[in-house]
Amino acid sequence: MSKHDVYALVQPILDEMEMLYLHDSRPWIVGFSGGKDSSTVCQLVFWMLERLPESQRSKPVYVVSSDTLVENPIIIDYLNEISHHMGVSAKQKKLNLTTHIVKPRVEDTFWSLVIGLGYPTPEPPGFRWCTDRLKIEPSNRFIREKIKNDGEVVILLGVRKSESVARAQRIEKREIDGKILNRHEVIDGAYVYNPITELSTDEIWNILLLSDEGQSPWGTDNRYLYSLYKSSDGGECPFTLAAKEELKDVPTCGNSRFGCWSCTMVKEDKSLKGFIESGETWLRPLHEFRSWLLSNRNNHDFRDSKRRNGTIYKRSDGSFGYGPFTLEARRIILEKLLITEKTLRHSLQDDSYELITLEELKKIDEIWDNEGDLTRRLLVDTYFEVYGVRLPWDHYKKPLFEERVLNLMEATFDSSLDPDEKKVPYELVKKLVLSVNRNKHYTHRPAIKQNFDRILNETWLHYEEMMEGLRNEDQ
């Protein structure tokens, strides 16, 4: 395609963009994942703004990217670099455009949920909690904040019908005849504009590589982006805005070069594997960790036999279903993650490189304190064993009881020590102790009793008696 043909292709899109931009005062939010489609939208927005007089660039444009904190390292570095250059260039050109990178709250990060609370890793087809927590909610928070300040916003997304049949059907479902904007189905006050829905993949690349240098309007080289796609069939993990019931239609990003390196939604991670085969061998420890995590998802020794609310259930084959990862399994996952991080730091000669942040470690430590770690030392000691240095809050971590008392409690209550003698489960004792500790400064005594009643009535404690009662009823 010649330059003339490319200009002819984009001119109607730029005219439509300009008309929509000048039509009202609603701010624009552009979803930018760093991939080819969202890069094209950003490039078109830049071109449209550049051709407007400065006096008409009154409407703010926010380019928003999502960092799940488990992004492919090469991609997140690229995303940060592009966002920086885009913001600097927009300021120099007085385009009234700013860039923003949103992240999940610390309690919602991948490691806070898997290592902290023991969430089983995502699994196809239906167990997919990651997209909502890591991508959708952070983006929605940013959007809702702008709506709170400005009343309504317009969201620009780089979605195309030719990307997949499911995507085409989803776009067509939302289209309103004769209208450019579609009302967002989840966020009140948000409207969606998809400017490149009809473009083909070849047309996208022709726009991005328009000049011989493939230079973007903000001064970076789009040929590098092209090189990321060149040896892979995968695409980008999109800037996702979807209702929870629609997540089944959202692409599984583990198949692409633009997804989370820890993704367990696919058996084979084409993203990391592709980069490693292209020469980025330093990523091999991430690939190995991800494979190990996937292989241990349904490891009987790693999973509790009850859910977090104390309920238990049986599968169709009569075996008990799994609950969250056990506390010891979480410790093992953390230890292996820290070892992987340490290996990468050595390989990259960069002691600041992180797979898990200090903020996440602190949150996980707090969670474990409420999950049964009466020693209060499980996380900080694991960190010290790997790195040989103490975490900043290590000094403040004191056991709930002396070691002698903890050993005595475990020996007294752990029924596994004497299977012929029924004893009070040690796990029950820990839950009751933690409940007392959390409520010891409250004067509202009924609250303590309610907590005790809830713990003592959890299903797992009475399952055999319940089953026996049901059997008697059937006789």
Side-chain angles (χ1 to χ4, degrees):
M1 185 179 287
S2 67
K3 288 185 179 180
H4 179 270
D5 291 334
V6 175
Y7 284 127
L9 175 68
V10 302
Q11 191 63 42
I13 301 176
L14 295 177
D15 290 343
E16 182 181 85
M17 274 188 167
E18 180 179 319
M19 180 271 294
L20 189 61
Y21 181 84
L22 297 175
H23 182 262
D24 53 49
S25 60
R26 289 180 290 191
W28 279 13
I29 297 176
V30 185
F32 178 59
S33 70
K36 65 184 187 303
D37 297 332
S38 59
S39 294
T40 300
V41 173
C42 288
Q43 190 152 309
L44 292 170
V45 169
F46 254 74
W47 284 341
M48 184 274 294
L49 292 174
E50 284 178 310
R51 75 183 197 177
L52 287 177
E54 184 180 342
S55 61
Q56 291 186 317
R57 303 171 189 164
S58 58
K59 179 185 295 188
V61 177
Y62 307 101
V63 177
V64 182
S65 305
S66 177
D67 178 6
T68 63
L69 299 181
V70 280
E71 297 291 331
N72 185 308
I74 291 177
I75 298 305
I76 194 60
D77 287 346
Y78 172 76
L79 184 65
N80 286 330
E81 180 185 1
I82 297 301
S83 295
H84 170 73
H85 283 288
M86 198 183 296
V88 170
S89 177
K91 186 175 182 179
Q92 292 172 344
K93 297 177 179 181
K94 300 180 180 180
L95 301 183
N96 199 11
L97 180 150
T98 54
T99 57
H100 308 264
I101 296 180
V102 297
K103 300 177 181 180
R105 295 174 298 191
V106 64
E107 62 267 28
D108 288 332
T109 69
F110 188 80
W111 299 126
S112 291
L113 294 172
V114 172
I115 298 177
L117 290 171
Y119 272 40
T121 53
E123 183 180 47
F127 191 70
R128 187 177 182 172
W129 52 262
C130 51
T131 305
D132 182 50
R133 299 290 188 96
L134 305 185
K135 292 186 77 74
I136 295 177
E137 278 306 313
S139 305
N140 287 357
R141 281 200 306 276
F142 183 93
I143 294 167
R144 288 191 174 101
E145 185 62 31
K146 297 306 175 187
I147 291 174
K148 181 180 178 182
N149 295 332
D150 298 290
E152 293 182 339
V153 299
V154 175
I155 305 167
L156 282 73
L157 298 178
V159 296
R160 296 184 297 114
K161 292 179 180 178
S162 63
E163 280 290 277
S164 70
V165 174
R167 180 171 293 187
Q169 291 174 343
R170 194 164 63 250
I171 293 171
E172 290 168 357
K173 177 184 176 183
R174 291 176 176 172
E175 285 180 341
I176 302 174
D177 291 339
K179 292 188 177 181
I180 300 174
L181 299 181
N182 304 315
R183 186 182 293 274
H184 197 279
E185 294 184 357
V186 178
I187 306 175
D188 291 336
Y191 294 81
V192 178
Y193 173 41
N194 300 315
I196 63 169
T197 53
E198 304 299 332
L199 295 181
S200 68
T201 299
D202 286 344
E203 289 171 333
I204 289 292
W205 284 121
N206 276 300
I207 293 171
L208 292 174
L209 304 175
L210 178 61
S211 66
D212 293 337
E213 298 79 21
Q215 190 176 66
S216 69
W218 44 89
T220 58
D221 190 347
N222 285 332
R223 291 176 300 177
Y224 177 72
L225 176 62
Y226 182 70
S227 72
L228 296 181
Y229 282 87
K230 197 170 184 181
S231 59
S232 171
D233 294 328
E236 59 187 284
C237 190
F239 182 92
T240 307
L241 293 168
K244 291 182 180 180
E245 61 271 16
E246 294 178 323
L247 289 181
K248 63 181 183 299
D249 294 328
V250 176
T252 298
C253 303
N255 279 318
S256 74
R257 287 187 173 273
F258 291 78
C260 300
W261 71 264
S262 59
C263 181
T264 55
M265 287 294 291
V266 289
K267 290 183 178 180
E268 180 60 48
D269 188 339
K270 294 180 181 179
S271 173
L272 282 175
K273 185 179 179 182
F275 275 118
I276 293 168
E277 290 175 349
S278 299
E280 302 289 350
T281 55
W282 65 275
L283 292 171
R284 189 169 285 121
L286 293 183
H287 187 270
E288 292 172 352
F289 178 90
R290 180 259 175 197
S291 298
W292 173 84
L293 186 62
L294 178 62
S295 68
N296 280 288
R297 185 190 191 279
N298 294 321
N299 181 341
H300 178 77
D301 295 331
F302 270 39
R303 299 286 292 275
D304 204 332
S305 59
K306 55 188 173 300
R307 292 169 170 165
R308 292 188 57 80
N309 61 2
T311 61
I312 55 178
Y313 65 100
K314 281 191 174 183
R315 302 189 183 97
S316 57
D317 62 3
S319 63
F320 282 103
Y322 288 137
F325 285 122
T326 65
L327 190 56
E328 175 58 17
R330 297 176 226 175
R331 188 202 66 78
I332 294 172
I333 295 171
L334 174 63
E335 181 181 46
K336 193 167 183 67
L337 180 65
L338 292 174
I339 292 172
T340 303
E341 180 184 80
K342 184 178 179 181
T343 301
L344 287 173
R345 288 184 177 184
H346 178 75
S347 176
L348 297 171
Q349 296 184 336
D350 181 2
D351 288 339
S352 66
Y353 186 82
E354 289 182 332
L355 292 180
I356 183 169
T357 66
L358 279 180
E359 189 181 20
E360 287 176 289
L361 287 169
K362 190 167 182 61
K363 172 55 66 175
I364 293 168
D365 200 5
E366 293 172 1
I367 293 172
W368 284 6
D369 284 352
N370 292 317
E371 292 280 300
D373 178 20
L374 302 184
T375 71
R376 297 293 196 265
R377 300 288 312 172
L378 196 57
L379 185 138
V380 293
D381 286 346
T382 298
Y383 187 90
F384 179 75
E385 289 169 7
V386 174
Y387 275 112
V389 295
R390 297 291 182 184
L391 286 165
W393 61 91
D394 184 292
H395 176 72
Y396 302 100
K397 298 294 295 183
K398 304 297 182 184
L400 205 56
F401 300 105
E402 294 180 2
E403 183 178 0
R404 176 183 60 84
V405 176
L406 292 175
N407 292 337
L408 180 61
M409 288 171 60
E410 186 170 1
T412 302
F413 295 109
D414 190 354
S415 60
S416 64
L417 296 178
D418 186 1
D420 295 327
E421 181 183 349
K422 286 192 174 182
K423 296 184 179 180
V424 177
Y426 184 41
E427 184 172 354
L428 171 61
V429 174
K430 287 194 292 184
K431 286 188 174 187
L432 294 174
V433 168
L434 289 170
S435 178
V436 171
N437 188 63
R438 282 194 299 268
N439 293 284
K440 63 184 178 183
H441 297 299
Y442 291 95
T443 57
H444 186 55
R445 308 307 295 178
I448 299 178
K449 182 180 183 301
Q450 289 171 6
N451 282 329
F452 263 54
D453 289 343
R454 177 182 56 79
I455 294 170
L456 292 171
N457 284 302
E458 288 183 357
T459 306
W460 67 282
L461 289 167
H462 311 285
Y463 182 79
E464 290 302 327
E465 289 82 357
M466 291 167 59
M467 292 298 100
E468 181 63 28
L470 291 174
R471 285 191 291 269
N472 291 337
E473 285 185 6
D474 293 337
Q475 291 177 358

